[in-house]
């Protein structure tokens, strides 16, 4: 059973690390539970260090987007999905939030 779980974890991580999109799982306490390779690269580029498991996600949200992202995050906790798009003139961001129940 342990070997099967490790294999499934490896396959899931390989899938998420193969995508071109940044993917993160955030718990009810705003702690990062998982970041894929792209998410780690983006946060390192923007904040000088990659976001890691256990970090508070608020430390990796650009100040101009914190209010809207936290509002949508709280809506996701209530079971609602949302996608927002923002541009600062140089970068374009599309952020999607999906509730995940486990």
């Amino acid at each position: 059973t342990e070997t099967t779980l490790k294999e499934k974890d490896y396959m899931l991580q390989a899938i998420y690390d193969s995508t071109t999109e940044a993917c993160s799982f955030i718990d009810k306490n705003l702690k990062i539970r998982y970041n894929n390779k792209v998410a780690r690269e983006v946060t390192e580029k923007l904040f000088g260090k990659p976001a890691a498991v256990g970090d508070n996600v608020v430390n990796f949200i650009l100040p101009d987007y914190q209010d809207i992202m936290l509002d949508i995050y709280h809506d996701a906790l209530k079971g609602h999905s949302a996608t927002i798009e923002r541009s600062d003139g140089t970068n374009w961001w599309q952020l999607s939030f999906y509730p995940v129940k486990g």
Side-chain angles (χ1 to χ4, degrees), residues 20-73:
T20 58
E21 296 181 9
C23 297
S24 299
F25 292 94
I26 304 162
D27 69 16
K28 292 179 182 180
N29 298 311
L30 294 165
K31 299 293 182 191
I32 297 169
R33 299 293 303 266
Y34 175 79
N35 263 345
N36 72 347
K37 180 180 177 182
V38 176
R40 292 187 303 270
E41 290 171 350
V42 168
T43 54
E44 183 169 23
K45 181 178 178 182
L46 292 173
F47 299 96
K49 66 177 187 169
V53 170
D55 285 343
N56 188 311
V57 73
V58 174
N59 296 327
F60 297 94
I61 300 172
L62 295 171
D64 290 346
Y65 303 137
Q66 283 187 4
D67 290 340
I68 187 73
M69 287 183 64
L70 289 173
D71 286 344
I72 292 172
Y73 164 81

Side-chain angles (χ1 to χ4, degrees), residues 70-91:
L70 289 173
D71 286 344
I72 292 172
Y73 164 81
H74 290 293
D75 283 344
L77 289 178
K78 296 175 188 172
H80 305 284
S81 299
T83 298
I84 60 170
E85 296 178 6
R86 296 286 187 270
S87 175
D88 62 10
T90 303
N91 298 299

